[in-house]
Each structure stands twice: as structure tokens, then as C-alpha cells.
Amino acid sequence: LIILSPTAVPEDVMSEMEALGEPDVLIVPNTYHRTDAAVFKARYPKCKVASPPRWIKEGVNEVVEVDMDARELTNRHDGSVRVVQIGGLSETGDDDFEFAYEFKCADGKWAYAVTDTLFNFPEKGFMNWVFGSRGILQPDGSCTPRVGRISKWFMHSTTNCSKFYREMAKREDVCMILMAHGDIATENIQTAFNSIADDLS
């Protein structure tokens, strides 16, 4: 069992999660999602803590000791986890503020997960305008994820990020897009990836 972005939740939710098994890995995806990691580590002391390297690791280490570079997860769990560098986030490829994670689903397809790169709140509102966190409105009235305004501040190249999501749109093996902020996308995934690319162009 892998927990991405461990966040304090009510005890009944913890019990539901624990019914699936004991967590093996806690992924702390960036310094903004590190707050509750120590609580989870105390509850599950055998868990390994994974995070991106360098400055992210340094920040996470202030809260909980990091055991491994998150990219090592690609070589664990019988190939059911992939760690993906999101195009355009960094110039060197080694100072990304977060990675994307792909988890293999029961049907053989993949769930694509990020924390702060994508947002998908359907509501209008001042704060969603400020953070650029409202999803992209589609012709059918649905919303699909977009790269938020703050995420763009951390981005080295929006052009390269657009290219990355354009390539993601060519895949037919992704069944959902998950993010820490907003609604999960489970339909029209290729359209959603193309819309992200268009929004960055």
C-alpha cells in the first residue's frame, strides 16, 4: 500500500484505509505537502518515506526523515508504479518541485497522479481566479484539469510542459487523472490532456 501526500483525516477514514493493508511507502511529493508526514510515520514506523531529491528532500527532512528518492519506486512493486518527470518543470531534470506518479489499476490501465501541478475545481470564485485553480470548462459543461497559476511560477518552460501533456494525450492506457486539489477526471482523458496542453500554449 502506497500513500501519496499523507494528510490527516478522521479516524474512520484511516480505518477504511487500513482495511486495505498496512502502508509500505509514504510519498511526500513536495514541501507543501509535508505537514502531516510525521504523524503517518509515527503511526506506521515501518513505512519508507520517499520524496523528490535535493531541495525538496531537505525541506521534507525538517519534518520526517526521507528514506529514498521517489524515483526509486519505479523499480519496486513489480512494475505497478511509475515515477514520471513532468516536462517543463525544470531545466536540469533534477530540481523539479514535484513528480507525477502512475499507478497500475486492476484493469491494466494507469491512474496519473500529481499534487500541485494540476487543479480541477469546477466552481467560479475569487480564490480560484487568484490561484488559477478552476478547471478548464468543456463544451459539455464539465471541467477538466489545468496547470494552476502558482504551478506556472515554478515552471521552467510552459512550452515544454505543453508538449509533455500533448504526448500524454496520445496514450490510451490512462484511465484517470488524480490531483490533490479538485475533482478527479475519469472520462475523456485524452481530451483533458489535450486541453491542458492547449491552455499552456
Side-chain angles (χ1 to χ4, degrees):
L1 184 62
I2 296 174
I3 299 177
L4 173 60
S5 187
T7 305
V9 293
E11 189 60 34
D12 60 326
V13 177
M14 294 294 291
S15 296
E16 288 182 30
M17 181 190 68
E18 288 170 347
L20 300 173
E22 185 170 336
D24 176 51
V25 177
L26 303 175
I27 303 175
V28 184
N30 57 45
T31 54
Y32 302 105
H33 286 255
R34 63 182 175 171
T35 307
D36 297 327
V39 175
F40 275 75
K41 179 64 175 178
R43 186 167 180 139
Y44 312 114
K46 295 180 181 178
C47 259
K48 299 293 184 182
V49 176
S51 84
R54 299 181 62 177
W55 64 280
I56 301 294
K57 178 182 178 181
E58 291 174 8
V60 175
N61 269 330
E62 294 175 1
V63 175
V64 62
E65 185 177 354
V66 175
D67 297 303
M68 70 173 78
D69 186 318
R71 291 172 292 188
E72 295 177 31
L73 294 172
T74 296
N75 301 317
R76 296 165 56 104
H77 304 284
D78 299 320
S80 61
V81 180
R82 296 172 179 166
V83 182
V84 181
Q85 288 187 288
I86 303 167
L89 287 198
S90 73
E91 182 176 13
T92 64
D94 201 33
D95 57 354
D96 309 65
F97 79 87
E98 75 169 351
F99 296 135
Y101 302 87
E102 295 186 6
F103 302 101
K104 196 170 188 177
C105 301
D107 62 0
K109 292 191 175 182
W110 295 85
Y112 176 87
V114 295
T115 47
D116 293 329
T117 305
L118 298 177
F119 295 79
N120 191 26
F121 290 110
E123 305 88 1
K124 293 181 179 179
F126 178 71
M127 293 309 294
N128 281 340
W129 175 80
V130 169
F131 291 104
S133 52
R134 188 184 184 207
I136 300 169
L137 188 64
Q138 299 295 335
D140 64 0
S142 65
C143 276
T144 56
R146 74 165 3 115
V147 174
R149 184 170 289 118
I150 292 179
S151 306
K152 292 176 182 176
W153 293 346
F154 284 94
M155 199 167 285
H156 174 69
S157 170
T158 55
T159 299
N160 288 344
C161 192
S162 177
K163 291 178 180 177
F164 170 82
Y165 281 109
R166 192 73 71 198
E167 288 299 312
M168 289 294 298
K170 296 177 182 179
R171 290 177 53 181
E172 298 181 356
D173 63 343
V174 179
C175 61
M176 67 181 75
I177 305 171
L178 304 100
M179 61 230 84
H181 309 282
D183 294 344
I184 296 170
T186 58
E187 298 180 356
N188 303 316
I189 300 301
Q190 290 170 306
T191 296
F193 281 136
N194 270 321
S195 293
I196 294 169
D198 290 342
D199 192 56
L200 290 166
S201 298

